[in-house]
Amino acid sequence: MDSELTVAICTKDRRDDLDRTMRSLASQEWSGAWDVLVVDNGSSDGTDDVARERSEDLPCPASVLAEPVPGLAHGRNRALREAAGRSIVFIDDDVDCDPGWVAAHGEAFRDDTVAGSGGPIRPLMPDDTPPWFLEILDEEIGGPTSRYEFGDEPGDIVDGGPIPCPFGANMGMLRERALEAGGFRTDLGWGTRMIPSEELEFFRRYRLLGGRIVYLPAASLVHRIQSRRTTWDYYLRWNRGYGRSLALMEPPRHAWDRARRVARQVKLFLRWRRRGRRSASEAEAIRRFASAEQARGELLEMLRL
């Protein structure tokens, strides 16, 4: 039987995390035909063995394949080429899918007008999360936690609307149409460089091919955040990488004008910092630091540094 939906998990050296994620898939129920595809991106810790062992517990067919070229985008593109499903839903290897998660995505794609889907991503923070991170978490969308929460009502995701395109920890698309769009850019995304936003850039192209992209509150999951992703250094590094991705995503028109604008942002931030940050609250100060790192990353990428 042809598969209606493939759940794709790209992973590397995360055997324990993957084991837990696949256990959450074992309890999923849906009347449609679905399967699981694990793409191992060069693990050396026995991740592929765990994937095969845990596949036996799933209520659907499962397969494991290797993608030797490093980088998350390469793994996702391999999944697009190899998946059996008409639609494909990507999750990270460190999530717990809520009951009904597969059914929510699967039923959505039975509507011929739907071309893409995304569901809530709720971060599960470690016990040692710094207070400053917890303070900004409810206001932050995406970032190091990939938080993506927009209420309990389903709706269409449109340009300029309140809900951005889905994030990589919980995003669905039509497989053949995604291939037609060109898949994921391999100069973006996790891998040899820490540059996010490959899914953002992908959906910019993908939505031009038509069809609705929908927000599905019932397709929710929990994203387990590691302690290393809650440090100040990691937070700044993530925002610097995001700035680099902005430079890569935009065409190089008026490069010098753009470089001057970004340099001015950095200069204003340094001036604000030298003046003692004035009376800024901690949350405001964090946002200023994040914006400055984004500008710095953008400038570095434009200068190819």
Side-chain angles (χ1 to χ4, degrees):
M1 177 185 294
D2 292 335
S3 177
E4 292 184 60
L5 181 147
T6 293
V7 177
I9 311 172
C10 300
T11 186
K12 180 181 180 181
D13 290 332
R14 301 283 291 276
R15 55 175 295 157
D16 293 338
D17 280 311
L18 179 66
D19 181 83
R20 179 171 166 176
T21 295
M22 294 186 71
R23 287 178 186 272
S24 77
L25 291 175
S27 60
Q28 296 291 313
E29 297 181 356
W30 183 43
S31 61
W34 63 289
D35 69 288
V36 172
L37 172 63
V38 177
V39 179
D40 181 9
N41 199 200
S43 296
S44 59
D45 67 344
T47 290
D48 55 342
D49 293 332
V50 168
R52 291 186 176 88
E53 179 181 347
R54 194 56 56 210
S55 294
E56 298 176 2
D57 300 329
L58 296 176
C60 66
S63 55
V64 182
L65 57 85
E67 172 50 58
V69 181
L72 180 56
H74 287 289
R76 285 176 173 165
N77 286 338
R78 181 69 183 275
L80 286 175
R81 295 194 299 269
E82 303 288 346
R86 171 179 172 269
S87 59
I88 181 169
V89 180
F90 288 95
I91 58 174
D92 284 355
D93 58 6
D94 54 359
V95 304
D96 297 320
C97 298
D98 291 354
W101 176 83
V102 165
H105 279 290
E107 292 299 324
F109 280 107
R110 284 180 167 176
D111 183 337
D112 289 338
T113 68
V114 171
S117 62
I121 302 170
R122 308 189 313 276
L124 177 63
M125 307 303 292
D127 293 339
D128 59 353
T129 302
W132 65 264
F133 204 124
L134 294 175
E135 182 178 348
I136 66 170
L137 185 59
D138 288 342
E139 299 179 9
E140 186 157 287
I141 297 300
T145 69
S146 300
R147 179 176 174 268
Y148 188 83
E149 297 181 86
F150 295 95
D152 298 328
E153 294 297 323
D156 285 15
I157 299 170
V158 298
D159 281 335
I163 305 177
C165 284
F167 296 161
N170 192 5
M171 63 179 179
M173 61 203 67
L174 298 173
R175 189 182 73 86
E176 290 188 359
R177 189 171 299 185
L179 289 170
E180 181 184 351
F184 295 90
R185 273 179 52 173
T186 57
D187 60 340
L188 299 172
W190 264 222
T192 56
R193 304 175 74 195
M194 186 175 166
I195 299 180
S197 302
E198 76 277 17
E199 61 263 36
L200 171 62
E201 193 280 334
F202 166 81
F203 273 108
R204 285 183 179 180
R205 289 178 283 113
Y206 183 74
R207 69 189 316 156
L208 296 177
L209 299 179
R212 297 163 55 214
I213 300 175
V214 293
Y215 173 70
L216 306 171
S220 61
L221 53 74
V222 172
H223 189 200
R224 304 186 302 271
I225 305 302
Q226 297 174 318
S227 293
R228 66 178 181 85
R229 297 176 68 168
T230 66
T231 67
W232 182 242
D233 286 346
Y234 187 95
Y235 186 76
L236 294 181
R237 185 184 176 197
W238 190 95
N239 279 282
R240 191 159 60 249
Y242 179 65
R244 287 185 179 274
S245 74
L246 293 176
L248 289 169
M249 284 190 290
E250 295 294 336
R253 294 173 298 188
H254 309 298
W256 282 111
D257 289 342
R258 184 177 177 189
R260 282 193 291 268
R261 173 182 59 78
V262 173
R264 185 172 182 273
Q265 287 180 259
V266 174
K267 182 179 179 180
L268 289 173
F269 168 77
L270 293 175
R271 181 184 300 169
W272 168 80
R273 190 176 181 182
R274 283 196 301 270
R275 292 178 178 177
R277 307 180 192 180
R278 296 186 176 177
S279 60
S281 66
E282 185 173 24
E284 181 186 348
I286 291 168
R287 285 192 291 270
R288 281 180 175 264
F289 272 95
S291 296
E293 284 300 309
Q294 290 174 19
R296 179 186 173 196
E298 193 173 357
L299 185 60
L300 288 171
E301 192 63 33
M302 285 188 289
L303 297 174
R304 300 183 179 181
L305 297 175

